[in-house]
Amino acid sequence: MSREHAAFLARAAVKAADEDHRLKILRATSTYDAAVAAMKSPATGQFADWQSARALAATIKDDALARLPELLARFEERIAARGATVLWAEDAGEARRHVIDIVRRHRVRKAVKTKSMTTEEIELNALLEGAGVELWETDLGELIVQLAGERPYHIVTPAMHRSRDEIAALFHERLGSPRDAGAEELTMAARRHLRQAYVTADLGISGANFLLADEGAVVMTENEGNGRLTMACPPVHVVVAGIEKVLPRLEDLALFLPLLATSGTGQQLTCYNSIVRGPRGEGEPDGPERMYVILLDNGRSALHADAALRQSLRCIRCGACLNACPVFRTAGGHAYNTAYPGPIGAVITPPLRGLTEWSHLAFASSLCGACTEVCPVGIDLHHLLLENRAGAVQAGGAALRWKLAMRLWAWAMSRRGRLDLLRPLARPALALLRLLMPRRLRARVPALAPRSFSRLWRARR
Ligand code: SF4
């Protein structure tokens, strides 16, 4: 068992027994589920046919992935023509070096940043702090986890695991707001704190929800207005984007913006949708003087080359599969210790970061298929988890006892007669299993049916 596997199990066990955590996640996901259901319904939402919308989105993304080199080259050519600098990063190390070069070139001492899982992936915050840059997260959820010294819990709602009382205590301690502040007061405290940061920062860092090849533009969606201020106020703007974020045409946003808003937060449309086509142009009153776009590969080309896993690059990071996943909701986002938790994280982390340490994530699933059902771009997540499991077994990651148990299972299940042959052993085997399990879990071991299926079938005929 790898170190990460053991740590995952330990963290998950603690959270699974934490009723307060369960309650908070249940409240958050119930509110989310109701809002999403209304948005998807033809009667109350904006989609006449949600399934057709997802199928179209999958087709557009597959087309973009099939033409990835061509579309990225077009994006680079067009945004560079308006003064932005495009930098390519083969891995996280190269992306980090680009950021440090920019920091040194522009003598950056203070930076503001939007929510971006791609920057989590390259561990940008620790990098900048190590380089002596004062960095402030500007998304409210991200600010909460930054002040708490945690990593984001969820890719869309980073502070989903924190109650209002916990946030009030944190803000009281770190930002001086009243101990019993309500939601509005807490938001105002964050706003007062961040307004100063926007106007004094030397650098604004953002991710990208989409890259538009035909426009040569970066698209950012957000609900707080912090993204616009981060991109527009500081003199330098750096975008860190995965290469899979490219869409062919501006018109594709007519589908992808409502799709992302519906699956991400149960909204018709996110409040702020910005299309950034370069740094401040001549005669324009605001915007950064310099703009850099770092296009990150970091294993995505390997996913692209894998016929089965390529569809995982369709992901638009809406977080719906996390909300639907019983393992994520029970174990919690921090159990994964990855930038991308939940089903999509379990699909892409092992191939991106190495099977040896991370293959256990493929087994962190009941394979119920809820993730696949909700994915707005039709990624067959639970079958991809099976692909990863097969990869882990082929790489020699399965324990001998597991392999033997699977062989016996396959032998018995392939013929009804064999299963009947083993039936006399089932009762003592279940009794032994009960004995070996922790006391609190024993009741979950099922009782043996009084009569086997074969006997029932024979009796019926
Ligand atoms: S895999 Fe699908 S459901 Fe999960 S975050 Fe990506 S787009 Fe959303």
Side-chain angles (χ1 to χ4, degrees), residues 48-97:
D49 182 350
W50 171 252
Q51 296 305 337
S52 301
R54 328 167 57 203
L56 180 59
T59 306
I60 293 172
K61 282 297 284 189
D62 284 347
D63 168 53
L65 291 170
R67 298 190 285 136
L68 196 55
E70 169 205 328
L71 295 180
L72 287 170
R74 192 177 307 156
F75 167 80
E76 178 180 22
E77 182 199 319
R78 296 192 177 173
I79 199 164
R82 285 190 297 272
T85 305
V86 176
L87 302 164
W88 297 79
E90 200 171 323
D91 53 25
E94 194 173 359
R96 289 157 65 90
R97 285 194 291 281

Side-chain angles (χ1 to χ4, degrees), residues 155 314-322 344 371 374-377 379 381:
I155 61 177
R314 286 183 204 153
C315 178
I316 55 172
R317 308 282 188 252
C318 71
C321 57
L322 281 61
I344 185 63
C371 49
V374 296
C375 178
V377 284
I379 303 175
L381 286 153

Side-chain angles (χ1 to χ4, degrees), residues 74-75 77-80 82 211-219 247-251 253 275-278:
R74 192 177 307 156
F75 167 80
E77 182 199 319
R78 296 192 177 173
I79 199 164
R82 285 190 297 272
L211 304 171
L212 299 177
D214 64 348
E215 285 290 312
V218 173
V219 182
L247 288 176
R249 299 158 296 262
L250 178 67
E251 296 91 301
L253 293 182
I275 300 177
V276 182
R277 300 167 80 239

Side-chain angles (χ1 to χ4, degrees), residues 220-253:
M220 267 277 300
T221 78
E222 35 123 9
N223 275 317
E224 298 168 20
N226 63 305
R228 286 192 174 183
L229 292 167
T230 299
M231 294 186 291
C233 292
V236 182
H237 175 203
V238 171
V239 181
V240 185
I243 53 173
E244 82 286 8
K245 293 286 173 77
V246 74
L247 288 176
R249 299 158 296 262
L250 178 67
E251 296 91 301
D252 296 327
L253 293 182

